[in-house]
Amino acid sequence: MAENDENENLLGNKKVTIIKKLNLEGKDIISLRNLTGATRKPALILLVLFIVISLIQVNRDLFIRENIFASSAQPLIEVTYGGVKQNLSGESLESLKQYILMNVAPEDFAGVKSNLEVTDVLREKGRDAAYFNGSVLDHACPMTIRSSTKKLVRKPPDVIGIGFAKCGTGSLDFLDCHPSITFRTSEPKFFAEKTAVQFINDALEKFDMDKESQKRGFRIEIKKYVDEYLERMPLATSDEILIEKSPQYSGGGSNEVRLERAKAMKAINPNIKLIGIACDPVKRAYSQLNMKERRTETLKESGKPCRNKGCLLGTIEEAFERFTDKQQSNFDAGLPMGFADYANQIKPFVDIVGAENFHLVDGENLVQNPNYEWGKLLDFLEVEKDHFKFYKDEEKGFPCLDKPIKHCLNTAKGTSRKTDVRKEYANFTNIWDGLYKPTVLEMINFFKICDKIDEICCEKLSDENSSFSWIHRYACTDI
Ligand SMILES: Nc1ncnc2c1ncn2[C@@H]1O[C@H](COP(=O)(O)OS(=O)(=O)O)[C@@H](OP(=O)(O)O)[C@H]1O
C-alpha cells in the first residue's frame, strides 16, 4: 500500500481540536449518543445537541482525508503503524483512537478502549504484496480493536474461510477490525497438508468420540499437529471469534480429499463454521491471469527468473489463448470446470458440518453492495453489524472500511476488476461464458439461490444489488 493510502487510514488533527473544544472524553461520546434519543429535554438543548453531533459527523469525513503529519510544532512520536515506522504527532494517534472509539458500539467501548493499540508486526517483510505495506501483522487490522478483556490464549479457529481464490477471500482482513473478531492475513494452509489431515482422521478411527475419556485421548494423540496449526494463528480470547482462511482447502484435489479435510476440521473444533466466497468465474479467471501477469512483471523488474506455474509465459493475449484452449478441452472431456465448480467443491464440507454452519458470500456483491453482503456475513457470525460499515473509496475504486476505522486493502487487491474483461477480451470471454454456464447453474439449486430457474428467479437476479446477481447472465440470457 502506498504511503498516501496509509495516510488516509488516519485522522487529521482538526478532529482533536473539536473533541477538545467539546471536551469530549469517551464517556461523553456515549452519553452524547444516548442523548440523541432523549425526549424530555427542552427543545433548545436538543437542537444544539443535534447541530453539534451533525457538525462532528460532517467534519469527521473531512478530517479523515487530511494529512496526519500536520503541524510541525507538535511533538512527534515514533509509531509503527501497519508495519511502517512513522513519526506521528501524539495527537494524530490519539485522534485515530478517538475516531475508533466514537464508532464502536457503546457496549464495546470500554473493552476496545482498554485494548486499543497499534498492531504488532510479526514479520517486516511478507512473501508478497498481499500484506499490509508488505509486512505481516500479528492480526490483519492495523489497530488492535478488541472488546474482550479476557486473557489471550491459543485456540482452534471458530470459523474457517475455505475458498474460493480470487473471489475476495483476502477481504476477510476487514473482519479483524471488528471488536469481536480476530483474523491474521497469512494463510495457515494446515488442512491442505495430507499428512496432518490423515493423522487426525486415523486418530478419529482409533478413539470412540462418544466417550468423554476417549475424547481426551484423541486430543492428546493429535496434540503435536494441532499445536503446530494453532501457532500459525494469532492469540485470541476465548469469547471472540477466531477466523482463518486458506482458499487451498476448497481447491486442489478430489471431493474425497475435501471430505477428509472437512472431517479433520470438525475433529479439531466440533462447532466449526465455514465460509465460502464465490464469484463470477469469468472475472475469477481473469483475476488469476492478471495476477500472474503482475507477478511476472515484478520478477522481471527484480531480475529474477520466473519458473513456476504462477508466472505468465509470453504475452497476456497468448495466455488468454492457452487458457481458453485448456478450458475448452476440459469441457469437451467432461472434466469439472474448476473456476465455476462451487457447488461440487462445497458439498463435502456441507455434508460434514451441516448446511446451517456454512455461509456462501457473493464476492461480486462484496464490491457492488458491500454493506448488505458484509451484513449477511456478520449475521452468520452472530456479531454486531450496525457499527461495521463500508464506503466506496474513489481512489481505490473498491469498498474500504469506514467504521470503526478507515481501512482499505493493500495494492495487490482490487486490480483486475477495474477492467471490464468482457469488453476488453470479448472474443475469449464469450467462449468462457458458454463453458461455465452448466456448472454455474448447479449452484442455483445447491445454494438455494432460487427454487428453480424461472421468471421469478430471473426477476430477483436482475436486481444488481442482490447477492449473486451475476448469475443472471448465465441463467437468464442466451449465452
Ligand atoms: N474491498 C475490496 N478491496 C479490494 N479488492 C476486493 C475487495 N473486495 C473484493 N475484492 C476482490 O478480491 C479479489 C482478490 O481475491 P482474493 O483475495 O480471494 O485473492 S487471493 O486468492 O487471495 O489471491 C480482487 O481481485 P482483483 O481485482 O483481481 O485484484 C478484488 O476484485
Side-chain angles (χ1 to χ4, degrees):
M1 185 180 284
E3 205 173 71
N4 285 343
D5 297 338
E6 174 133 350
N7 292 346
E8 287 217 344
N9 288 326
L10 298 172
L11 279 169
N13 289 312
K14 273 198 202 163
K15 164 81 176 305
V16 176
T17 323
I18 286 276
I19 288 170
K20 274 189 174 163
K21 265 190 198 154
L22 295 172
N23 198 19
L24 284 181
E25 287 297 341
K27 269 190 269 149
D28 302 322
I29 292 168
I30 284 186
S31 57
L32 254 183
R33 275 190 183 140
N34 294 339
L35 274 172
T36 56
T39 50
R40 274 171 279 163
K41 298 276 175 200
L44 190 65
I45 297 179
L46 272 180
L47 186 68
V48 171
L49 270 177
F50 176 76
I51 293 169
V52 170
I53 291 169
S54 306
L55 261 177
I56 295 174
Q57 288 288 111
V58 169
N59 281 310
R60 201 189 52 213
D61 284 344
L62 294 173
F63 301 154
I64 288 148
R65 295 188 178 279
E66 285 190 2
N67 195 329
I68 49 164
F69 307 103
S71 154
S72 56
Q74 287 163 353
L76 296 180
I77 52 167
E78 194 181 85
V79 176
T80 303
Y81 176 81
V84 174
K85 283 206 179 69
Q86 310 198 3
N87 287 322
L88 295 190
S89 75
E91 286 199 340
S92 298
L93 182 62
E94 206 38 49
S95 58
L96 169 63
K97 288 184 176 179
Q98 291 285 0
Y99 178 81
I100 295 166
L101 290 172
M102 250 177 92
N103 285 305
V104 292
E107 59 274 21
D108 288 333
F109 181 87
V112 170
K113 190 171 185 215
S114 67
N115 292 315
L116 196 53
E117 273 315 325
V118 173
T119 303
D120 287 341
V121 177
L122 207 62
R123 284 196 299 277
E124 291 283 347
K125 260 202 168 328
R127 269 183 299 279
D128 55 43
Y131 296 101
F132 192 90
N133 283 319
S135 301
V136 183
L137 304 187
D138 178 56
H139 51 85
C141 192
M143 292 294 285
T144 299
I145 304 175
R146 165 177 289 129
S147 63
S148 174
T149 49
K150 290 194 173 180
K151 201 169 87 208
L152 289 170
V153 292
R154 288 242 171 262
K155 65 169 198 170
D158 303 283
V159 180
I160 303 179
I162 57 173
F164 288 86
K166 297 290 149 212
C167 282
T169 58
S171 65
L172 293 175
D173 263 23
F174 289 126
L175 289 177
D176 187 58
C177 297
H178 191 288
S180 309
I181 299 175
T182 292
F183 176 86
R184 181 182 285 170
T185 308
S186 54
E187 296 164 354
K189 302 181 190 151
F190 177 76
F191 298 101
E193 291 164 17
K194 259 197 207 150
T195 333
V197 170
Q198 183 148 5
F199 189 88
I200 293 166
N201 287 332
D202 287 348
L204 266 182
E205 300 274 307
K206 258 169 65 182
F207 293 88
D208 180 352
M209 297 300 276
D210 290 333
K211 295 195 180 116
E212 267 321 303
S213 59
Q214 295 266 314
K215 269 191 199 166
R216 204 169 154 261
F218 172 74
R219 281 200 297 271
I220 294 169
E221 175 96 354
I222 64 168
K223 187 172 181 321
K224 185 177 104 183
Y225 280 100
V226 174
D227 282 353
E228 210 226 301
Y229 175 40
L230 305 194
E231 283 287 329
R232 300 181 199 178
M233 282 171 286
L235 296 169
T237 63
S238 57
D239 56 348
E240 71 186 330
I241 298 171
L242 177 64
I243 307 183
E244 75 110 322
K245 73 102 180 171
S246 307
Q248 300 76 4
Y249 297 159
S250 60
S254 61
N255 268 5
E256 285 74 43
V257 172
R258 284 185 270 274
L259 196 71
E260 293 303 301
R261 288 175 188 157
K263 281 186 197 161
M265 287 174 184
K266 187 149 169 107
I268 287 181
N269 179 0
N271 301 316
I272 196 78
K273 283 184 168 190
L274 304 179
I275 301 171
I277 306 184
C279 59
D280 183 343
V282 165
K283 294 190 178 169
R284 189 178 172 205
Y286 176 55
S287 175
Q288 174 92 348
L289 288 171
N290 187 262
M291 183 193 70
K292 286 189 182 186
E293 190 188 27
R294 209 175 51 229
R295 193 179 285 162
T296 313
E297 283 303 310
T298 317
L299 283 171
K300 222 190 255 171
E301 278 165 24
S302 64
K304 288 184 191 149
C306 196
R307 294 196 189 93
N308 60 26
K309 280 204 299 188
C311 284
L312 216 58
L313 299 169
T315 63
I316 185 95
E317 280 74 19
E318 285 163 349
F320 262 89
E321 263 165 38
R322 267 197 313 277
F323 178 81
T324 309
D325 289 348
K326 182 91 178 59
Q327 298 294 294
Q328 183 72 58
S329 62
N330 284 352
F331 184 86
D332 294 342
L335 294 172
M337 299 308 292
F339 279 91
D341 203 20
Y342 305 118
N344 177 48
Q345 293 185 7
I346 290 298
K347 190 175 180 312
F349 292 98
V350 168
D351 285 348
I352 298 298
V353 304
E356 69 285 8
N357 291 315
F358 175 80
H359 178 72
L360 189 74
V361 175
D362 176 7
E364 303 305 337
N365 214 32
L366 282 182
V367 179
Q368 175 70 26
N369 191 6
N371 285 315
Y372 174 73
E373 202 59 36
W374 281 103
K376 286 206 302 180
L377 177 58
L378 296 175
D379 283 344
F380 171 70
L381 299 174
E382 297 177 85
V383 294
E384 209 270 343
K385 68 175 177 194
D386 294 340
H387 296 77
F388 197 77
K389 293 291 173 205
F390 290 82
Y391 71 104
K392 290 239 172 109
D393 189 273
E394 292 295 321
E395 200 184 322
K396 173 87 182 160
F398 279 83
C400 295
L401 197 57
D402 183 28
K403 291 172 182 179
I405 181 175
K406 294 270 177 189
H407 180 45
C408 297
L409 295 186
N410 59 65
T411 48
K413 304 284 179 190
T415 52
S416 79
R417 277 177 178 75
K418 281 186 183 160
T419 304
D420 185 346
V421 63
R422 285 197 170 87
K423 215 162 141 194
E424 293 274 316
Y425 299 97
N427 46 335
F428 295 109
T429 58
N430 286 343
I431 303 172
W432 301 0
D433 274 337
L435 300 178
Y436 293 140
K437 179 171 175 153
T439 318
V440 168
L441 297 190
E442 289 170 17
M443 290 178 71
I444 297 184
N445 222 324
F446 186 81
F447 295 114
K448 299 189 173 49
I449 292 167
C450 292
D451 294 337
K452 56 178 183 213
I453 305 168
D454 56 7
E455 260 184 49
I456 302 172
C457 179
C458 290
E459 173 76 31
K460 177 178 151 188
L461 295 175
S462 66
D463 174 0
E464 274 192 4
N465 283 322
S466 74
S467 300
F468 303 106
S469 64
W470 55 268
I471 292 182
H472 185 272
R473 165 191 305 278
Y474 296 93
C476 311
T477 68
D478 283 334
I479 54 166

